[in-house]
Amino acid sequence: MLIKKILWELLYLVYKFCYFRNKTIKVLNIKNFPKAPFIVAASHRHAWDGPLGWFVTYQYLRKPIHYFVNKQLFTGLGKYFFLIYEHIPVQSGLKSVNKKALKTSSELLSSKHIIAITPYPYDLQKKKYVIYMGIVKLLQQNNVPYVPVNIAVKEKWKSRSYYDRNFDYVRINIGMPQKNILYRKKLTKMESIQYTKGVMNKIARLQG
């Protein structure tokens, strides 16, 4: 456990003094974060949304945060990074992978950790509900709240690569914790889709 804590602190310091140095990160309503465990449902329009969300959440709570990450990114050095920090692979259409992701997430939530789901907006537009539907499954299996978060990155130029820090200003607005009304409740597929759309609307209203 001590080694894990050291690794989390090291990552935080790397972000703070290397990647996000001289970047303005404006955080609104940080006190809306409840005590862990809970689920973060955040917007995702920029490559740095995930690291920025992780940085701000860890900075305030000093609790482990585990992201749902596209399984295709678990390659090369990135694979070891994601595994060390216990991020969770998911992939549209792969039921075995997603079932394992839900099981792992539930175990982490039971240990008072934080799970973050950050789908791209077009996931629903293209009818790829797997990642966002994950929040429905997690809420059905775990009696924890979720928190909507909107991350807005002001780009200075068009991104040239994933590692291109093409921004100088970020606005992160944290919504009110949402009571879990789905715990142990069965939903039809259409009901699940409608619920995820409601989550997306809550995130969108935080954009301001």
Side-chain angles (χ1 to χ4, degrees), residues 74-131:
F74 280 71
T75 58
L77 293 176
K79 175 182 178 180
Y80 298 101
F81 171 81
F82 291 134
L83 290 175
I84 287 171
Y85 288 98
E86 297 179 285
H87 295 310
I88 304 161
V90 292
Q91 189 166 338
S92 177
L94 291 182
K95 290 184 179 180
S96 60
V97 172
N98 298 326
K99 185 177 180 180
K100 184 177 179 181
L102 290 170
K103 183 176 183 293
T104 301
S105 299
S106 294
E107 291 170 352
L108 291 168
L109 287 168
S110 68
S111 298
K112 300 189 182 303
H113 290 206
I114 301 162
I115 301 296
I117 302 179
T118 57
Y120 282 102
Y122 55 66
D123 282 335
L124 281 179
Q125 295 171 15
K126 291 188 176 182
K127 297 185 179 179
K128 293 183 178 179
Y129 301 106
V130 174
I131 296 178

Side-chain angles (χ1 to χ4, degrees), residues 10-86:
L10 283 175
L11 181 59
Y12 169 75
L13 292 173
V14 168
Y15 279 146
K16 182 176 182 178
F17 293 109
C18 297
Y19 287 101
F20 301 146
R21 186 180 180 184
N22 300 322
K23 306 294 184 184
T24 300
I25 303 176
K26 184 177 181 180
V27 183
L28 304 176
N29 305 308
I30 189 71
K31 291 186 178 180
N32 279 346
F33 275 140
K35 290 184 178 180
F38 60 90
I39 300 165
V40 171
S43 59
H44 193 355
R45 297 179 293 269
H46 192 278
W48 283 94
D49 286 345
L52 284 161
W54 184 97
F55 174 75
V56 168
T57 307
Y58 186 79
Q59 183 178 45
Y60 182 69
L61 297 177
R62 283 301 196 276
K63 282 282 187 179
I65 308 102
H66 310 277
Y67 275 79
F68 275 24
V69 178
N70 190 322
K71 187 176 184 294
Q72 295 176 345
L73 296 178
F74 280 71
T75 58
L77 293 176
K79 175 182 178 180
Y80 298 101
F81 171 81
F82 291 134
L83 290 175
I84 287 171
Y85 288 98
E86 297 179 285

Side-chain angles (χ1 to χ4, degrees), residues 6 10 68 77 104 107 114 122 136 138 145 156-157 178 186 189:
I6 292 172
L10 283 175
F68 275 24
L77 293 176
T104 301
E107 291 170 352
I114 301 162
Y122 55 66
V136 171
L138 283 174
K156 295 172 66 176
W157 59 81
Q178 302 297 307
K186 292 184 178 180
K189 183 176 181 180

